[in-house]
Amino acid sequence: MTTTLQHLRLAAVNIDGVLLNDTFSPVIRAMVTAHGGDYTEDVEYELFSQPQLAAASVFAKATNSPLGPRELVAAYLAQREEHLARHPVRVLDGAGDLLRLLRGLGLQVVCYGGLDRSHFDRHLGEFAPLFDDPGYICTDSFRPGVHEIVHDVFALAYDQVLFIDDVARVAETARSLGVPFIGHPSAESAYQRRLMERTGVRHLVRRLSEIDEELLRTLDHEAAAGAVWDTARPAGAAHEQ
């Protein structure tokens, strides 16, 4: 019989780039270059895990686009639909096994991301029984959403919630709050792995199968000991001015 984890209570798992394939990074990169911008580390950092309108403002600045934020969001969503015709959304290998492992270790599980709930229902509906109420949280209005999910939705302590995400901005926020974190940077993004390493992320995986019971128990022990992040090592700012 599996012994449940002792300290962690909840796993918050990002939807796109963790449970589903990354269908955002390629479109963002293509749009920036198509509009005459340079796709740099700084640009990627500023665009990822932002509310849509905030990201559109960053995009306009990076490309000198005359379009307004809402027009840019509409253009982006239209281009993403074209991308999806060639590269459909799919559940990543190991997603179901990961969710079952998290629940088997006694954790509540919730999914979150920047699109509305219909995206979750459409692509992860088959796994709905593996998530706890509310199942999915749209964070577009308060991204990256770490504080809100931990404090406002579940009323837990920061060190009781494990986040699994593909974006360094989320890792930065997790570090600032002392929140356990596993990085799963997408191969489609140019800079997220390097940005996470600079932030001081200890646990980086390339495949969901690497998030096994041993790793989760390690994180549980680290959280209980207040040693989730290496505070002796200054975090290199993920975004250096």
Side-chain angles (χ1 to χ4, degrees), residues 53-68:
L53 293 179
S57 296
V58 172
F59 180 92
K61 182 178 179 181
T63 61
N64 294 314
S65 173
L67 298 178

Side-chain angles (χ1 to χ4, degrees), residues 72-155:
L72 285 170
V73 169
Y76 167 75
L77 293 175
Q79 186 160 333
R80 181 170 174 270
E81 286 302 311
E82 294 177 9
H83 176 80
L84 291 178
R86 303 185 303 275
H87 308 281
V89 174
R90 59 181 175 81
V91 177
L92 287 183
D93 292 343
D97 289 340
L98 172 61
L99 295 172
R100 285 185 282 270
L101 173 62
L102 294 169
R103 290 191 66 85
L105 291 172
L107 296 178
Q108 291 183 279
V109 182
V110 73
C111 186
Y112 67 93
L115 295 183
D116 64 35
R117 188 186 181 94
S118 64
H119 181 57
F120 170 82
D121 291 338
R122 179 179 179 185
H123 298 292
L124 290 175
E126 64 180 298
F127 299 108
L130 298 176
F131 294 97
D132 293 277
D133 188 56
Y136 178 76
I137 300 167
C138 174
T139 57
D140 183 56
S141 63
F142 51 85
R143 302 193 86 174
V146 178
H147 165 78
E148 291 81 0
I149 291 172
V150 174
H151 185 269
D152 299 342
V153 180
F154 287 94

